[in-house]
Amino acid sequence: MRIESQGPVFGTRDPDARGYYGAYGGRFVPETLVAPIEELTEAYFKVRDEESFRTELGQLLRDYVGRPTPLYEAKRLTASSGGARIVLKREDLAHTGAHKINNALGQALLAVRMGKRRIVAETGAGQHGVATATVCALLGLDCHVYMGTDDMARQSLNVFRMRLLGADVIDVKAGSRTLKDAINEAMRDWVTNVTDTYYLLGSVLGPHPYPLMVREFQSVIGREARAQCLAQLDRLPDAIVACVGGGSNAIGIFDAFIDDRKTRLIGVEAGGRGISPGQHAARFAGGSAGVLQGTRSYVLQDADGNVELTHSISAGLDYASVGPEHAWLRESGRAEYTWIDDDAALEAFKRLGREEGILPALESSHAIAHACRLAPTLPGDAILLVNLSGRGDKDVLSVQAALEGGR
């Protein structure tokens, strides 16, 4: 039985008027961005209610992105883990190889309606950059992607893909030369070119309305997964596991299950080399409430409020803050968060390949690793749903270097 794509969800759980989820969120931007942010907010709240926008987005998600993505029961992984049935939501099979295309497409359509033909974006692992370059090629938009030089080195394949798609990839040499610095440069570009430029942010980060907007475009994942669980498994999952960098794939699959209190929602952060300053990116394990790049959330920072360096083998999880809605879900007790270190993520990368013939992105490998630890603690008839947010082609050289001792 084929499940049709359920489409994104709009307007079901908006933050308050100031863009806050409890104590987290809001807008912390320079004066020069106040007007562009207000313009963006007005435009978004207008188009999300327009049937023509919903229809165009839905058709492209189906015919261009390839939605709905399948739900697949990983029987060999289940057998080797013991305990719960492990089921994968296959976002790795979406066009461009990850969930990022869902949000990039929605925002690009919004940019066109706003009359903005120049797009700037940031990327860490390169998947958001590839997705942005892809939709810009589709819609005939001018694309500029900022990327830290360290991330460019470990994601050289995605850099080449972006350039093949017509994007201008700009290397960022400042700071830690990773995602945080790429966001800084993209926002500087936006400030300088607000008249004709749209900033296509890749995760549930930044000032309101970005966390809301990105979550709503990614909510298609959870809507499909919920319908597929009911159709294929005859019930909802007992737990959902997803990796959390900024947090867009996790919030996308969590969204449809928020009111299903019997379903545990589990986010997995990057434990890197261990929970000590500069060696990880587990914000809930080593961070505190603070403001970074436009929003209030959990941030890895020292006692004086200086942002700490981060580390993860996964470029997409290597960021010092996390989406404000995740901070609120954790504080409210609706979601729980844990971490997986580099070694366990690498082992999960290899294990899923050998046991299921699927190479997961290193980001998704963190979720797979935790699922394999959690499954034996659950009954054999329990269902453990994992959001396989991306495929691992982009990470093969990084994994090779790590396994050969270059990490």
Side-chain angles (χ1 to χ4, degrees):
M1 175 180 172
R2 178 174 171 81
I3 300 294
E4 291 300 319
S5 178
Q6 301 295 297
V9 182
F10 298 100
T12 57
R13 289 189 298 107
D14 288 354
D16 68 19
R18 300 181 304 143
Y20 276 87
Y21 302 88
Y24 306 101
R27 289 176 178 166
F28 298 84
V29 296
E31 187 67 28
T32 49
L33 279 183
V34 171
I37 286 286
E38 290 179 349
E39 177 191 17
L40 172 63
T41 304
E42 181 180 356
Y44 179 66
F45 279 95
K46 178 182 177 183
V47 303
R48 76 173 188 174
D49 290 331
E50 292 179 357
E51 188 62 33
S52 61
F53 179 79
R54 292 168 176 263
T55 298
E56 183 178 10
L57 176 58
Q59 288 175 342
L60 285 169
L61 287 172
R62 181 191 67 209
D63 301 333
Y64 187 70
V65 175
R67 305 207 69 89
T69 57
L71 203 69
Y72 166 72
E73 185 164 357
K75 293 183 178 179
R76 293 196 68 221
L77 187 65
T78 295
S80 69
S81 299
R85 298 162 64 187
I86 300 174
V87 178
L88 309 179
K89 177 59 171 165
R90 296 291 306 276
E91 289 300 290
D92 60 310
L93 294 180
H95 181 42
T96 71
H99 70 292
K100 293 293 188 180
I101 190 75
N102 306 321
N103 166 62
L105 185 58
Q107 286 199 59
L109 292 175
L110 173 60
V112 169
R113 281 162 170 76
M114 293 177 68
K116 312 283 187 180
R117 307 297 301 184
R118 181 177 182 272
I119 305 297
V120 296
E122 83 298 326
T123 196
Q127 283 303 126
H128 174 59
V130 168
T132 300
T134 298
V135 299
C136 285
L138 173 69
L139 300 174
L141 303 175
D142 184 21
C143 182
H144 304 266
V145 179
Y146 288 87
M147 190 172 189
T149 53
D150 284 5
D151 289 341
M152 289 180 72
R154 56 181 170 173
Q155 297 294 335
S156 58
L157 174 60
N158 273 345
V159 173
F160 188 54
R161 290 173 73 194
M162 286 183 268
R163 288 173 172 157
L164 284 174
L165 291 161
D168 175 24
V169 184
I170 304 140
D171 60 325
V172 178
K173 301 180 177 71
S176 61
R177 302 181 298 276
T178 56
L179 181 58
K180 174 177 68 70
D181 310 289
I183 293 174
N184 284 339
E185 293 305 315
M187 293 189 78
R188 286 193 187 101
D189 186 319
W190 188 28
V191 170
T192 307
N193 302 285
V194 292
T195 303
D196 67 343
T197 296
Y198 181 96
Y199 178 26
L200 205 162
L201 183 58
S203 196
V204 285
L205 302 166
H208 175 69
Y210 280 109
L212 168 66
M213 187 163 56
V214 177
R215 184 250 288 167
E216 291 194 319
F217 287 136
Q218 293 292 2
S219 67
V220 63
I221 305 170
R223 289 262 286 172
E224 287 177 5
R226 194 176 194 281
Q228 289 167 324
C229 284
L230 292 173
Q232 295 175 218
L233 308 173
D234 295 321
R235 66 183 184 87
L236 298 180
D238 296 275
I240 299 173
V241 178
C243 65
V244 179
S248 65
N249 91 87
I251 211 74
I253 197 166
F254 289 174
D255 186 70
F257 298 88
I258 294 292
D259 294 330
D260 300 306
R261 295 284 172 169
K262 293 183 179 180
T263 298
R264 293 169 62 189
L265 306 178
I266 305 168
V268 184
E269 299 184 285
R273 303 185 185 101
I275 307 302
S276 59
Q279 299 301 308
H280 68 98
R283 289 65 47 103
F284 294 126
S288 57
V291 173
L292 181 64
Q293 294 177 325
T295 193
R296 185 175 192 271
S297 186
Y298 258 65
V299 181
L300 290 172
Q301 56 189 342
D302 64 21
D304 297 319
N306 300 307
V307 177
E308 294 178 343
L309 295 176
T310 57
H311 164 77
S312 172
I313 192 171
S314 161
L317 303 185
D318 194 0
Y319 182 62
S321 188
V322 64
E325 192 169 3
H326 282 292
W328 176 73
L329 287 172
R330 176 179 179 268
E331 188 170 282
S332 68
R334 181 60 192 96
E336 53 195 278
Y337 296 83
T338 186
W339 55 270
I340 285 290
D341 65 23
D342 287 351
D343 290 339
L346 272 171
E347 184 57 37
F349 183 97
K350 294 188 295 179
R351 183 174 179 179
L352 193 66
R354 291 171 179 172
E355 296 186 6
E356 294 291 346
I358 300 169
L359 295 178
L362 279 172
E363 292 79 14
S364 311
S365 299
H366 287 70
I368 294 294
H370 183 67
C372 291
R373 290 181 180 179
L374 180 61
T377 72
L378 301 175
D381 61 350
I383 295 171
L384 182 51
L385 175 61
V386 182
N387 196 17
L388 193 68
S389 57
R391 67 178 183 232
D393 308 45
K394 66 183 179 62
D395 294 315
V396 168
L397 294 180
S398 293
V399 169
Q400 182 183 25
L403 295 177
E404 292 175 353
R407 175 160 62 87

